[in-house]
Amino acid sequence: EYDVSKVTVDALRAGWGASIYVSDQSVDSLTTLADWGDARASGSDLDRSKTFDFSGVKGQSVLVWFTQLPTGDNGKHYVDVTEVKVA
């Protein structure tokens, strides 16, 4: 179990949204979104890089759940994630 205070997500284009979940259970036991509990942070219409800050959270598993996808040059909705950092 680790202290988790922020999650930074970097993407190639703006306009995406996500919710961040942190659990003290192993990922093997987290089979549904409800198993994760409440989101620790969320946002929409985000820039290419977003740091989600929260405090007092301990966990061993982190989930980035995308709730909004921007429209790409081909007209399809997707997000290209280049990096996720957990601190």
Side-chain angles (χ1 to χ4, degrees):
E1 197 169 271
Y2 302 92
D3 291 324
V4 180
S5 60
K6 64 183 174 179
V7 174
T8 301
V9 179
D10 295 330
L12 291 181
R13 76 176 60 243
W16 57 278
S19 295
I20 307 299
Y21 296 84
V22 180
S23 177
D24 60 357
Q25 298 185 25
S26 71
V27 74
D28 295 337
S29 64
L30 301 167
T31 58
T32 68
L33 186 58
D35 293 338
W36 287 87
D38 294 331
R40 301 297 179 165
S42 61
S44 59
D45 296 319
L46 300 172
D47 288 331
R48 291 180 12 178
S49 182
K50 170 65 177 168
T51 298
F52 298 90
D53 291 303
F54 39 87
S55 62
V57 178
K58 290 190 177 289
Q60 63 176 331
S61 300
V62 175
L63 172 67
V64 178
W65 184 269
F66 289 96
T67 56
Q68 178 183 3
L69 301 174
T71 304
D73 295 335
N74 61 3
K76 296 184 179 184
H77 296 277
Y78 63 93
V79 62
D80 288 315
V81 175
T82 57
E83 185 172 36
V84 175
K85 294 181 256 183
V86 178

